[in-house]
Structures are given as C-alpha cells and as structure tokens.
Amino acid sequence: MSSNINLVKAEFKNVFAYGEELTTYEFKNGLDLFSGKNGRGKSTLGDVVCYGLYGKPFRKIKLKSMVNTTNNKRMYVAITFTSGDDTYKVVRTMKPDNFEIYKNDELIEQEARKDDYQNMLESDILNTSETVFRQLIVLGANMEVSKNFMDLNKAEKEDILQTLTDTKIFTYIKDVVKSRMKTNKEQKVLVDERTHSTKSIILSETSMKQKAESHNEKLKNQNDNIIGHKNEQILAHESNIEKHRVILELVKPMVQPYKNKKIELEKLKENTQIIKTNAININNSIREQQRVLDNGAECESCGHITLLGDASEKEILILKEELNALKIEATENKPLIDTLTKEIEDTSIDIDRAKSSNTQISMLLSAITNLKEEILILENLTLMDFDESNLKENEEKMILLCEEQGTITKDQRALDIIKKYVESDDLKGHLISQQLPILNKWINTFLDKFGMSEFIFTIGADLKEQLVRTSGSGEFNGLSNGQKARIKFSLMFAFLKLIENKNGVTWNTLFLDEVLDSSLDYEGRNELLNIIKEEFKEKDIIIVSHNQDIQEKVEMFNRIVTFALVDDFSNIKVEEV
C-alpha cells in the first residue's frame, strides 16, 4: 500500500544542547542548508525526528544521553506530520516518560502495552519500519550505504542489499522462527504432559463410573425383584381383603336381627327367671298354707292355735292355679328360648367370622401400608453416587488439549516450512537478483545526470560490480577522485530510489548529513546540488555541511538555517533566500 508521509514540524526542548525554550523547525519543500560550528546541534534534528517517531535517536548513542545535562529538566519532543487527509502529532517526553499519539487533535487511546501502541504507529499510520525509515530519511557520511560500495567485500555488499531489499528480514524471521520453535517444543511438552495426565484421570473416572453403573444396575435389579415380590404380596393382601369384605357384606344384614334376637332372648330369660322365682314363692306359700291347714295357726300374741279349715284350702287352691299358670307360661317360653338360642348361636358363627374378617382387613391394610413404605424406601434407595461433572470437565479439557496439540503440530509444520525458506540462500539470492536490474537502471540514470553517460555500471548476481566504458575500456581504479565520487553518489541515490519504490512509502524529507563534504570537485558539487533539486524537488532536502564551497552557494538554497549558542544553549535561525 503506497502512502505519503509529510513531516510538518518538529518541536523540542531540553534535547542535547537545546534548552528549556521550545525550538520549532518547520519542514518545507526545497533545499535547506544547515550551517554552524561543531557542537551547535545541526545533527540533532535527525535524532529528534527518529526519537519522536520510533523512540530511539538516529545516531548510535544512549537514549538517556539525549536529555540536556545542563538543566537536566523534562525532555520534550513533538513531531507533526500528515498522512492522506489526516494530521498526526506524536509526543514523547523523558523525566517523566510519556508517549501520546494525536489524530486530528484527538488523543488516540493507548493500548495496554506500550509496544502495541508503537506497533500501531509504525504499521497503521507510518507504514514504515524503523529500519526502512533509517534508509529513507537520512544519508550520513558514516552510513554503510554512503560508503564506496565497490570497496566492500561480498558479505558487506550482501548485507546492504539484504537491508535495502528487506531480505535481511529473513535473518530476523529465522531468529523468530527458532524462538517460536523452541517455545512450540516447550508448549508441546507441557500440552503432552497435561494430555497424558488428563487422559489418566478420564480413564480412572470412566472406570469409577462403570463400577458405579454396574453396582447400581445390580442393586436396581435386586431391588426390582424385591419390589416385584412385595407388589405381589400387596395384590394377594388386596385379594384377601376383597374376600373378607364379601363376608362382611354377607353378614351385615344379619347384625341387626341378631341384636334384636339377643334382646328378645334376654327378655324371655328374664321373664322365665321371674316365673321361676314366682313359682318358688307360690310353692313356698302352698307349703305354708298346707302346714297351717294341717296344724292350725298360732296366735302371735297369745300362742293359741286356731284351725282355719276351708279358708286355707281355698287359698291353696288359688295358689296352685297360679303355679300351674306359671308352669304353662314357662313351658311356652322354653321352645322360644331354645329357638332363639339356636338362631343366635348359628348367627354368632357368622358374626364371629365377620369380626375375624374385619380384624384381618385391618391387619392386611396395615401390612399393605408397610409394604408400600418398604417399596418407597427401595425405590428411593441411594445408589452409589458418581459426580459426572468432573468427568465431563476433563473430557472437555481433553478436547481443547487435542485441539491445542493439533494447533501446535500445524504451527510446527508451518515453522518448518518457513525455516526451510528463510534458510535458503537461493531464495534470498533470487529476491536480491530481482531488484538488481532496477538498481542498475537507477545507478546509470544518475551517472548520466552526473555527465558520465559514457560509463555503464552493473552489479551482477554475484554482487561483483562491472564498469564498462562505451568508448574504450575503463577501470574503477583508473578513474579520478571526482569520477569515483560521482559513482558513489549515483549508488547512494539509486539505493534511495530503490527503497522508496519497493516500500511504496514516500517521505517529504531527506537529511544529507555531511555526505557532500567529500572528494567531489567544484563542478561535481554543482552537478550534485542540481541533481538533488531536480530529483527530490518534492522534498525538504536538509544539507548539513562544513564545506566552504557549498556554504557559499547561497543561491542554490531556499533557506539557510544557522545554528549558534545563545546563553550556552543551541539556537536556530532560519532565513529565507
């Protein structure tokens, strides 16, 4: 994805030789000359921009050394730039440390990890890694790409080309893959151990479950048999109850007549007893009257005996009549009593059977209640308890572990494939060789602009360079210092074009830090400045130089930026030309 990153301004204070007063540098298209003595802060801007965007200075120095040591106060850096229609501002401070990104004046919320915030800035906003930024923005005299490419050995040339073509990332990927493979192996060991442990637990719990199920099935069958037998007993009891109830129903009509007959019998017996008593009394009276009749009656007062005669006989006769009447009545009662007694005795047998049946019914109902309670107990009998939640949990865990094992295996295969490719010199060589024709084209384009069209410079697949002169032969060592310098700059600018085209990101700024202070002659420097103005006219070209010839070419520049010390702190003065 192509994009344009346009630096708008850099604001900073308490950085290196710069003090508490906020320094602002605005980026504008054109050619700017940075002029001043050593130690005045000319190279600081490159460090400030790199630190603001990537959290590191451009030069190989300690981060903390950026803080001004004179006042040792809070260091502040803010870089404003545009990308598309959006304006961004990145703010970083030290003492205390802070890191904020604003988009169109609104703070972008920081991720939980600072590294994620930085990754978002590089991948989603800048679309430029720190490595590519270092090759796109600053060309310094001490940089590898600024050195004479032809003076380097093959390994050094390969290292530069790998960096410029992003194939050096293979080394990084190789290290990452190695680390990931180690982590993958460690994870596999842990997952295998957890899988083995979980599998053992599942086997143990499955065995316990099977034992519980077998025990419960056996107990259930046993209980079912007992319950079946008790239900049969209940049915038998209920059948007997029905039989006894039939007896009760048959006897029920006999009960009241039976009671009535007993009452009637009792009355007859009482009446017979009365008759007997009366008969005894009458017999006694008859004997007494007979005695009186025979012997006479003694006067109670004087003891005189008087013979009663006919009067006594008459009374005796009356008494005998009464006695006969009683005998007749007693005789009449006897068959009634005998009949009732017989009927009562016969009915008593049925009544006793009914009583027995009633007792049996009560006993059977009680037995049925007890049997039902026993059945209920058997039905609700606690079986061997087995908590399946642990088994299910471990089975689910096993599924996840198997999936994790599959993922690890899949990752391992992918890592093996990646490892094979990143370790392949053929692949890296192929990728580099694809870029070489483009690089050679740019080199010769810039050689033409430097007035060396009679030369054709080629870097071969073996990374050996070949210089061919179209009119006669030529050797690099036979060239003048000026010609060698032109080839050197052609290589530098060709590398820059290669990086821009390959990464699809264009920046509006280019620092040339003392790279013009070389062996170029007066004419070569003029050609170089003209090439820079022509090829990079859409950029703010910042040239840091101590060369007097360059500093005198004021008409070539759009702005002159002078660096000086004011009250022991660096100060910038910008003059439009």
Side-chain angles (χ1 to χ4, degrees), residues 30-31 527-538 541 555-558:
L31 203 57
E527 290 173 348
L528 178 59
L529 289 173
N530 286 325
I531 290 171
I532 290 173
K533 290 192 75 171
E534 179 185 347
E535 290 296 326
F536 306 107
K537 57 187 175 184
E538 300 299 325
I541 310 298
E555 73 281 358
M556 296 289 292
F557 297 96
N558 300 95

Side-chain angles (χ1 to χ4, degrees), residues 43-220:
S43 300
T44 297
L45 189 60
D47 290 316
V48 164
V49 174
C50 191
Y51 169 75
L53 298 179
Y54 295 96
K56 300 175 185 177
F58 185 83
R59 290 174 288 181
K60 294 181 179 180
I61 55 177
K62 291 183 178 180
L63 180 60
K64 291 184 179 179
S65 67
M66 290 184 68
V67 181
N68 183 283
T69 56
T70 300
N71 52 30
N72 201 28
K73 292 182 179 179
R74 175 175 177 260
M75 186 183 87
Y76 173 87
V77 171
I79 306 298
T80 302
F81 62 92
T82 63
S83 177
D85 297 328
D86 298 312
T87 299
Y88 295 89
K89 184 176 182 179
V90 182
V91 178
R92 291 186 197 265
T93 64
M94 277 198 283
K95 294 188 175 183
D97 293 345
N98 190 35
F99 175 27
E100 295 175 332
I101 304 172
Y102 294 85
K103 178 181 180 181
N104 300 324
D105 295 326
E106 289 188 7
L107 177 66
I108 298 175
E109 292 297 328
Q110 189 167 157
E111 301 292 335
R113 293 174 64 248
K114 186 177 178 181
D115 288 346
D116 294 335
Y117 204 42
Q118 179 64 38
N119 290 336
M120 181 270 294
L121 172 62
E122 293 183 25
S123 60
D124 297 344
I125 299 175
L126 297 174
N127 294 314
T128 306
S129 66
E130 180 191 348
T131 301
V132 173
F133 169 83
R134 288 176 175 273
Q135 302 299 329
L136 280 173
I137 303 302
V138 181
L139 292 179
N142 61 339
M143 292 176 60
E144 289 295 332
V145 293
S146 302
K147 294 180 181 179
N148 193 333
F149 187 79
M150 291 177 289
D151 292 337
L152 304 177
N153 59 40
K154 183 179 179 181
E156 291 173 324
K157 292 175 183 178
E158 192 175 56
D159 186 61
I160 289 177
L161 287 171
Q162 284 182 4
T163 300
L164 297 178
T165 59
D166 275 353
T167 53
K168 194 171 184 178
I169 197 174
F170 284 10
T171 303
Y172 169 74
I173 294 174
K174 181 180 177 181
D175 293 338
V176 172
V177 168
K178 184 178 179 181
S179 175
R180 283 287 303 277
M181 290 179 82
K182 180 182 178 183
T183 303
N184 220 41
K185 184 177 180 181
E186 292 171 351
Q187 285 180 336
K188 187 176 185 302
V189 171
L190 290 174
V191 171
D192 287 347
E193 289 177 354
R194 288 165 58 197
T195 302
H196 178 74
S197 174
T198 304
K199 188 181 290 184
S200 297
I201 293 172
I202 290 174
L203 288 173
S204 175
E205 290 183 341
T206 301
S207 175
M208 290 173 60
K209 178 184 176 183
Q210 291 172 346
K211 288 180 180 178
E213 289 175 346
S214 175
H215 170 80
N216 292 341
E217 185 66 23
K218 183 178 179 181
L219 185 61
K220 185 176 181 300

Side-chain angles (χ1 to χ4, degrees), residues 262-318:
K262 285 188 75 173
I263 293 170
E264 186 180 354
L265 177 61
E266 190 63 31
K267 287 181 178 180
L268 286 172
K269 285 183 177 181
E270 288 178 358
N271 187 39
T272 300
Q273 185 62 38
I274 291 170
I275 290 171
K276 286 182 179 180
T277 302
N278 290 336
I280 291 170
N281 291 333
I282 290 172
N283 276 324
N284 291 333
S285 296
I286 289 173
R287 283 195 294 271
E288 180 62 25
Q289 288 296 331
Q290 189 64 45
R291 185 187 63 78
V292 170
L293 180 61
D294 293 335
N295 300 317
E298 184 178 357
C299 182
E300 293 179 357
S301 60
C302 65
H304 178 73
I305 296 172
T306 303
L307 296 174
L308 298 177
D310 293 336
S312 295
E313 286 181 358
K314 188 178 180 179
E315 287 179 3
I316 290 170
L317 182 63
I318 292 170

Side-chain angles (χ1 to χ4, degrees), residues 374-422:
E374 290 171 3
I375 289 172
L376 187 63
I377 291 171
L378 289 171
E379 288 177 339
N380 295 310
L381 189 66
T382 302
L383 302 175
M384 183 182 287
D385 187 29
F386 179 77
D387 186 4
E388 289 194 47
S389 61
N390 290 333
L391 178 58
K392 289 181 179 178
E393 182 180 338
N394 280 295
E395 287 175 340
E396 291 172 359
K397 182 180 177 182
M398 192 65 177
I399 293 171
L400 294 176
L401 286 170
C402 289
E403 290 176 354
E404 193 172 351
Q405 281 182 321
T407 301
I408 290 172
T409 302
K410 185 178 178 182
D411 288 348
Q412 186 60 46
R413 289 172 183 166
L415 290 169
D416 288 338
I417 294 171
I418 295 171
K419 182 173 179 288
K420 177 183 176 182
Y421 279 107
V422 297

Side-chain angles (χ1 to χ4, degrees), residues 250-266:
L250 291 174
V251 174
K252 188 176 180 181
M254 303 179 186
V255 173
Q256 193 58 44
Y258 171 78
K259 290 180 179 179
N260 293 338
K261 286 179 182 179
K262 285 188 75 173
I263 293 170
E264 186 180 354
L265 177 61
E266 190 63 31

